[in-house]
Amino acid sequence: MLDLLTFFGDIAGLPYCVVKMSPSFPQYKAGEDIDLFCYSVNDVAAKVVSWAKRYAAKGYGIKVSNVHKRQHVHVDLLLEGALNFRFDLYEAMPAYEKLMVKPALFESVLENAASAFFPMGEVQVEVKVPAPVDDLLIRYLEFAEWYDVRPDKIKHLDFIMERGDAQTRERMLQKLHHYTKLPPLFIPHECPFCRFTARLKKYLPG
Amino acid sequence: MIGRRFDYMLVWGHGVEHMEAIAAMIREHPAFKIVKVLHHVPESVDLLVHAVYSFDYAPIEHLKDKTEYLRATPRESYLVFLENRDPDEDYFGEGSFRHLESRTMKALKERIRDRFNPYRNGKRTDEHVIHASDNQLQTDHILRYLGYPGVELFADRNVVLSAPYHLGEITDYCIRELHISALRCRMVTGERHHPEATVVAVEDTPHYRALCGDGEAYRLYLRTFLGTALTDDHTLEGLLRLAASFDYLAPPFDNAYVIVREEEPGIFAVLDGAHRVAILKHRGVTSLAAAVICNKE
């Protein structure tokens, strides 16, 4: 089991924010991941690799994948060839298709990050997490993007309904409406002439 | 003011005999790092002069007299591409010839010319042995003239990994502990203008032999292929200096992994780090953490 809190101790001075944190953090199950927003993926990934080296002697492999133009990077810790844990690092908002999201939301989340503290022996380790409004907003974006293909994403909607109070949810919706927009709807062009020519094609040879 | 930029120096045909000494002067300068050395034989000196000066701040017609002497020089040259870490840019010249130039480069250029330009009657002539770039645009232009994608060639494309530019973008890699006996180094054999690539065990490299005392073999290797098959800047002195103080992956080089690719099961070709591997082998180290490229062609 990786001691994730030691990693967060190592990056204490860096600007970052853990989004969609699992309720069981810092515990995790094999195959899970942690999503981090940061201003420099390269800096945070370098810290992950440096931190992970201590586990190399215990049989862990480290794999770095440049998913998208050095703005989205995976740093995977593998055990016996299988994914044990993934650091999912972002330097910009993930690419959503169901909603158009203003890029400035990324900086807003980072700048408004709050501190959560987790005990590690005698000390408390600080882990930066989104402000309550941003936490709900990001989970909502995730739910909206994936709900039709990933049934497990309902957990984010459950989180919003159970954890957020009415005022925070209201502020979340206001921020959502400011930073997002529905993508334009594509309606196929169908004028009478096009309909006529489409029908005509049925009777033409070839 | 900018932090760094890429410049180049062109050693004309009559300066080629001084290439080693010129390179040594560049290396001694703390602001410059040689990133690529190319031996270039132009179709004609006129063509090269035109390519070099077509991006100059002065019109080429103005430079005809200044460059006339080059027509009599041997038809070969070296192009030394440099990372300039302290450009210290300022304006030089008057009127329509006023232009931005790196003070650091200008000073080094003049020192090299003072030492190697031909002298007549005790006075330095303007038959310059080197030409140097005024700005990065000129470096970009000459790289494109040579068939490279401009200064973008030297852009850092990789995440975390400290990889040389010639490896391009490495999208996936794993950090693994490997036995040094499983590593093979890519070497060059044959003749200067007809090099052949070969793969040898670490102990058979001229790098390792230099560390065992046979420095001449390494010097000869570099001298034979510098600018042709070998375009990185290495020297025997540099290797021995590194060997004396080298601490693999110690800060600030904690992500400077030796980069390898698995060529056949259990055998890895070293793509970057042959010198470091030779040093570790010479010290009796049997394994090292290396970056194994997963899926780069």
Side-chain angles (χ1 to χ4, degrees), chain B residues 35-92:
Chain B
V35 291
K36 191 174 183 74
V37 179
L38 285 175
H39 179 251
H40 177 63
V41 178
E43 277 180 49
S44 73
V45 174
D46 277 348
L47 266 177
L48 183 58
V49 168
H50 194 267
V52 166
Y53 288 103
S54 60
F55 246 66
D56 203 88
Y57 60 89
I60 194 161
E61 291 72 27
H62 172 79
L63 297 163
K64 264 196 173 130
D65 289 337
K66 286 181 71 176
T67 57
E68 187 64 30
Y69 74 96
L70 288 169
R71 294 180 146 206
T73 59
R75 191 169 61 91
E76 74 167 314
S77 65
Y78 274 93
L79 287 118
V80 184
F81 293 93
L82 315 167
E83 182 187 346
N84 184 347
R85 293 163 176 160
D86 180 23
D88 191 17
E89 290 178 333
D90 201 351
Y91 285 92
F92 293 90

Side-chain angles (χ1 to χ4, degrees), chain A:
Chain A
M1 181 67 115
L2 303 169
D3 184 354
L4 297 179
L5 289 179
T6 52
F7 167 70
F8 286 100
D10 287 351
I11 63 167
L14 292 180
Y16 72 90
C17 184
V18 175
V19 298
K20 299 177 284 163
M21 182 183 274
S22 163
S24 60
F25 178 88
Q27 306 303 316
Y28 69 93
K29 287 186 194 143
E32 282 185 350
D33 67 355
I34 192 165
D35 298 312
L36 259 94
F37 285 4
C38 53
Y39 283 137
S40 171
V41 152
N42 198 65
D43 288 352
V44 175
K47 290 285 190 184
V48 175
V49 171
S50 281
W51 165 83
K53 275 193 267 197
R54 72 196 72 185
Y55 292 101
K58 297 178 187 174
Y60 285 84
I62 306 166
K63 182 177 173 190
V64 180
S65 302
N66 184 2
V67 180
H68 181 70
K69 293 183 182 176
R70 295 180 13 154
Q71 289 192 320
H72 180 197
V73 167
H74 289 162
V75 183
D76 295 342
L77 275 95
L78 310 165
L79 197 56
E80 293 170 359
L83 176 66
N84 185 257
F85 192 76
R86 168 174 288 169
F87 289 82
D88 207 344
L89 309 176
Y90 293 89
E91 206 171 272
M93 288 301 294
Y96 292 106
E97 290 180 13
K98 301 276 177 64
L99 285 171
M100 292 162 61
V101 182
K102 288 183 190 172
L105 177 59
F106 188 83
E107 284 78 17
S108 174
V109 170
L110 269 174
E111 291 301 317
N112 291 305
S115 295
F117 292 91
F118 297 83
M120 185 172 73
E122 307 254 318
V123 301
Q124 294 284 320
V125 177
E126 181 196 24
V127 178
K128 291 175 199 161
V129 295
V133 169
D134 293 333
D135 193 15
L136 299 188
L137 199 161
I138 289 166
R139 289 179 189 273
Y140 181 78
L141 290 175
E142 189 77 358
F143 168 73
E145 182 72 10
W146 296 108
Y147 76 93
D148 55 339
V149 293
R150 293 272 307 270
D152 63 304
K153 295 294 184 178
I154 193 80
K155 66 186 176 190
H156 293 310
L157 193 63
D158 291 338
F159 185 97
I160 293 167
M161 299 312 293
E162 287 162 17
R163 298 274 206 102
D165 58 75
Q167 194 180 33
T168 307
R169 280 200 294 274
E170 178 61 31
R171 283 170 53 210
M172 182 274 278
L173 288 173
Q174 288 169 359
K175 194 164 182 176
L176 178 74
H177 295 150
H178 176 76
Y179 279 100
T180 67
K181 205 167 149 174
L182 287 170
L185 195 58
F186 172 69
I187 301 172
H189 178 63
E190 213 176 282
C191 65
F193 179 73
C194 292
R195 278 202 296 270
F196 171 73
T197 51
R199 275 202 215 116
L200 195 61
K201 275 181 189 165
K202 285 186 205 170
Y203 299 101
L204 289 173

Side-chain angles (χ1 to χ4, degrees), chain A residues 41-42 45-46 49-50 53 61-66 70 73, chain B residues 156-160 169 171-175 254-255 257 294:
Chain A
V41 152
N42 198 65
V49 171
S50 281
K53 275 193 267 197
I62 306 166
K63 182 177 173 190
V64 180
S65 302
N66 184 2
R70 295 180 13 154
V73 167
Chain B
D156 185 8
R157 289 183 185 79
N158 294 300
V159 179
V160 182
E169 185 184 353
T171 52
D172 293 272
Y173 63 92
C174 302
I175 311 289
D254 25 4
N255 291 308
Y257 290 93
C294 297

